[in-house]
Amino acid sequence: MLRDKQADCLERVHEYTNEVLHEDPASVRTLPSPTIIRDAESKLLTNLPEQGRGIEHTTQHLLKDVTPGLNASSLSSNYYGFVTGGVTPAARVADHLVTLYDQNPLVHLPDQTVASTVEDRALRQLMQLLRFDPNIWSGVFTTGATAGNVHGLLLGREYVINQTLRRRGFGNSSAMNVGVQGLLAACRAANLQSVDIYTTMPHSSLLKAASVAGIGRCHVHDIKICREDVIFDPKKLVGLLESRRETSAAIIVVSCGEVNTGMFATNSYESVSALRSLCDRYGAWLHVDGAFGIFARTLHGMSEFEGVSQGAEGLELADSIAGDGHKLLNVPYDCGFFFCRHKDLGQEVFLNANAAYLSTGGDTRQPILSPLNLGIENSRRFRGYPVYATLMAYGRDGYREMLVRQIRLARAVALYLCDHEAFELLPSNGRRSKEEAIQETFIIVLFKAKAESLNADLVNRINRTCKIYVSGTIRDSQPAVRMAVANWQVDPERNFRVVQNVLESVTDEWLGEQHGT
């Protein structure tokens, strides 16, 4: 009886899902109205019921009362907030199977399940998509780029302190490292006062990761060459590395796609090579925060996009890389990835010691390390399955084509803003021509209204239309609009018309208010 009820409820959800997926993605409302959201809130349970309401009543409640209050951030190609991708059809199919079979892929048990092998293959293919050699790099799936940055700083912290310990005469003792001794004892032994992170225009998640890793937010230093630029100031970087060499260990973090502009901290293989040389000279770790910018590596060799693809060249010289799956890979939330060129170091930091019950079955055919010894988590959902499915379904060419559409839409909007009398494309760098600004546009468009009174409320006016959604941010102490194009369903011409119509209607409405009409 219970299975029959479950089947009936799943069938109702399946029918509802089909109705949603058959809607035109261009016409889906990006946000529910405030009235609908308040209505959904009013119908939520406040207290735990003494007697359960049953699966049928609960399913009815979810579909009729709660779900209407959810936004369409993944379903709508007109949602441009927070660099939120969608979910490809192949990833959605696989994610359904993830819930059905509910695997924990973090212990490699090759005689019991294929789950960890699937994730290993998915990681290797993701590395191939992004042009990293799977025979050199190891990887794990994370919750997102924030967790990837935590991984990078934990391994970086271990590496740079261990390097200093060796310089102090401790050799290669397995008992004298951060993983065994702890951060404070290892720093005392190494005579270090701090671990410092040198970066440019860091995302807030990097400061959060610095706090989690025990490095501290005040030790994250922004050393960009000027206020408007995300490029490193090389003289300042060398000066800091040299002057603090005896009392501080260093981690250099490359912002591969700055969150507000989409711009890159490096612009060639040579610029990354220069950072690599500094790291080798000073015993520093080179980490890449590549949440979405790392996907520019798929554009290699395409002259149309050379202005952005060069920003992702040379990153194979890094020690570690963090990236997001729910952005340009377009798989469901709760998926990021972390790549590292130091597999043994990963085990040094994340090893589950004295846990015989977590030991692997020992696959001699193709040894795969249990992911729980390469990352923070010991158990989680099978998040690599949608990645495997989407890479198989669309391949390298499919993902390149998705990104090309996304960039072309962003550039069409940027060009429109450059020529519009009411708006200003940001950053307003006087050194850039209009052509250069367009060529440097990746998937993010940052802009403001020239009229202060319109600009103060521009984000709200745009979002109130419910036709598109954008994020608000601050640039040069003034409000700005941030439009991030990341959904796989984007059609450059169709979506541009929607954006253009919304911006024209917003400016017309404001002008009417100014003239009292």
Side-chain angles (χ1 to χ4, degrees):
M1 178 66 71
L2 183 61
R3 283 185 175 272
D4 290 342
K5 289 183 178 180
Q6 176 181 252
D8 289 344
C9 291
L10 286 172
E11 181 61 31
R12 290 174 64 189
V13 172
H14 177 71
E15 292 174 358
Y16 178 88
T17 301
N18 276 336
E19 291 176 7
V20 171
L21 293 179
H22 278 90
E23 293 182 44
D24 181 357
S27 62
V28 173
R29 288 174 65 89
T30 57
L31 300 179
S33 69
T35 301
I36 291 174
I37 294 175
R38 300 292 86 79
D39 182 63
E41 288 177 344
S42 70
K43 294 176 181 177
L44 292 174
L45 293 183
T46 302
N47 299 305
L48 174 71
E50 292 297 328
Q51 299 293 324
R53 306 288 176 82
I55 187 173
E56 294 167 306
H57 180 90
T58 300
T59 301
Q60 175 76 4
H61 171 63
L62 296 178
L63 293 180
K64 299 297 183 182
D65 298 337
V66 183
T67 301
L70 303 177
N71 66 37
S73 60
S74 178
L75 293 168
S76 172
S77 62
N78 292 312
Y79 189 94
Y80 304 115
F82 309 107
V83 197
T84 301
V87 179
T88 67
R92 182 174 286 110
V93 167
D95 201 58
H96 172 77
L97 296 173
V98 169
T99 300
L100 179 65
Y101 282 93
D102 195 27
Q103 304 284 286
N104 175 20
L106 291 187
V107 182
H108 181 52
L109 299 170
D111 295 327
Q112 298 181 30
T113 177
V114 74
S116 57
T117 305
V118 169
E119 288 210 341
D120 179 73
R121 299 289 174 85
L123 282 164
R124 293 175 69 86
Q125 291 172 43
L126 182 56
M127 290 175 191
Q128 291 169 351
L129 174 69
L130 300 176
R131 297 171 41 239
F132 295 104
D133 187 346
N135 297 314
I136 296 175
W137 293 79
S138 63
V140 291
F141 286 113
T142 66
T143 56
T146 299
N149 283 332
V150 172
H151 280 73
L153 296 193
L154 289 174
L155 267 68
R157 180 191 72 179
E158 185 87 12
Y159 177 84
V160 298
I161 294 175
N162 290 354
Q163 288 288 98
T164 307
L165 285 167
R166 293 187 181 99
R167 290 207 316 270
R168 304 290 192 222
F170 286 94
N172 294 313
S173 172
S174 60
M176 181 50 72
N177 56 54
V178 179
V180 174
Q181 298 294 330
L183 180 61
L184 296 180
C187 283
R188 280 197 301 267
N191 196 27
L192 289 173
Q193 297 177 6
S194 64
V195 175
D196 286 285
I197 298 170
Y198 302 115
T199 187
T200 60
M201 290 190 181
H203 187 268
S204 61
S205 67
L206 185 65
L207 282 82
K208 181 176 185 176
S211 175
V212 171
I215 294 170
R217 289 185 287 270
C218 73
H219 290 283
V220 179
H221 308 284
D222 187 346
I223 53 169
K224 57 184 176 290
I225 200 164
C226 67
R227 188 181 65 178
E228 292 284 350
D229 212 327
V230 71
I231 299 293
F232 280 93
D233 183 332
K235 290 183 179 180
K236 188 173 183 180
L237 177 58
V238 172
L240 288 167
L241 290 170
E242 185 63 40
S243 65
R244 300 180 180 182
R245 185 172 193 175
E246 294 303 317
T247 59
S248 171
I251 298 172
I252 297 175
V253 178
V254 175
S255 299
C256 184
E258 192 271 325
V259 67
N260 281 318
T261 63
M263 293 181 177
F264 297 81
T266 56
N267 54 23
S268 65
Y269 179 94
E270 289 73 21
S271 60
V272 181
S273 181
L275 294 175
R276 176 75 267 165
S277 295
L278 288 176
C279 288
D280 293 341
R281 186 192 312 170
Y282 292 98
W285 181 269
L286 185 58
H287 175 67
V288 176
D289 180 0
F292 58 90
I294 198 70
F295 285 87
R297 290 178 65 84
T298 64
L299 303 170
H300 179 72
M302 300 183 71
S303 58
E304 180 183 353
F305 305 108
E306 187 175 359
V308 294
S309 65
Q310 284 297 311
E313 289 298 314
L315 298 182
E316 64 272 17
L317 301 176
D319 294 297
S320 61
I321 295 169
D324 254 322
H326 68 260
K327 290 182 169 60
L328 296 184
L329 193 61
N330 277 258
V331 296
Y333 266 106
D334 187 44
C335 184
F337 52 91
F338 175 72
F339 298 159
C340 183
R341 287 200 296 122
H342 306 265
K343 183 183 293 186
D344 292 342
L345 187 67
Q347 295 179 81
E348 191 173 299
V349 174
F350 299 116
L351 178 68
N352 280 263
N354 302 321
Y357 77 101
L358 294 177
S359 63
T360 181
D363 187 357
T364 58
R365 297 163 297 178
Q366 183 186 1
I368 295 174
L369 288 171
S370 288
L372 59 80
N373 290 323
L374 293 173
I376 293 172
E377 297 166 302
N378 275 4
S379 61
R380 60 162 169 78
R381 76 195 309 264
F382 188 14
R383 61 172 67 109
Y385 207 14
V387 176
Y388 178 83
T390 198
L391 291 175
M392 178 180 181
Y394 310 110
R396 187 187 306 278
D397 289 347
Y399 268 95
R400 184 186 293 117
E401 187 269 339
M402 287 181 207
L403 186 53
V404 165
R405 285 188 280 111
Q406 291 156 353
I407 297 173
R408 285 177 176 165
L409 172 58
R411 289 183 173 182
V413 174
L415 182 60
Y416 162 79
L417 293 167
C418 282
D419 295 334
H420 201 290
E421 61 182 10
F423 299 110
E424 180 180 345
L425 182 68
L426 300 173
S428 52
N429 189 335
R431 295 176 299 166
R432 296 196 306 170
S433 66
K434 181 170 73 173
E435 291 72 21
E436 288 171 333
I438 301 305
Q439 287 301 308
E440 291 176 0
T441 299
F442 184 35
I443 62 161
I444 292 181
V445 183
L446 186 68
F447 65 98
K448 68 177 183 178
K450 294 178 182 178
E452 186 174 335
S453 59
L454 173 58
N455 194 53
D457 195 39
L458 184 56
V459 171
N460 290 331
R461 285 176 179 269
I462 292 171
N463 290 340
R464 278 200 300 267
T465 69
C466 293
K467 294 179 179 178
I468 68 174
Y469 180 86
V470 296
S471 299
T473 188
I474 299 294
R475 185 76 180 189
D476 295 334
S477 302
Q478 295 184 5
V481 177
R482 176 176 167 272
M483 174 183 169
V485 185
N487 195 289
W488 67 274
Q489 300 172 98
V490 159
D491 178 290
E493 294 183 3
R494 179 194 66 201
N495 286 80
F496 173 73
R497 288 195 296 270
V498 175
V499 173
Q500 182 182 31
N501 289 339
V502 167
L503 293 180
E504 293 295 343
S505 68
V506 165
T507 52
D508 288 347
E509 178 188 53
W510 176 78
L511 286 171
E513 293 171 0
Q514 302 308 299
H515 297 139
T517 60

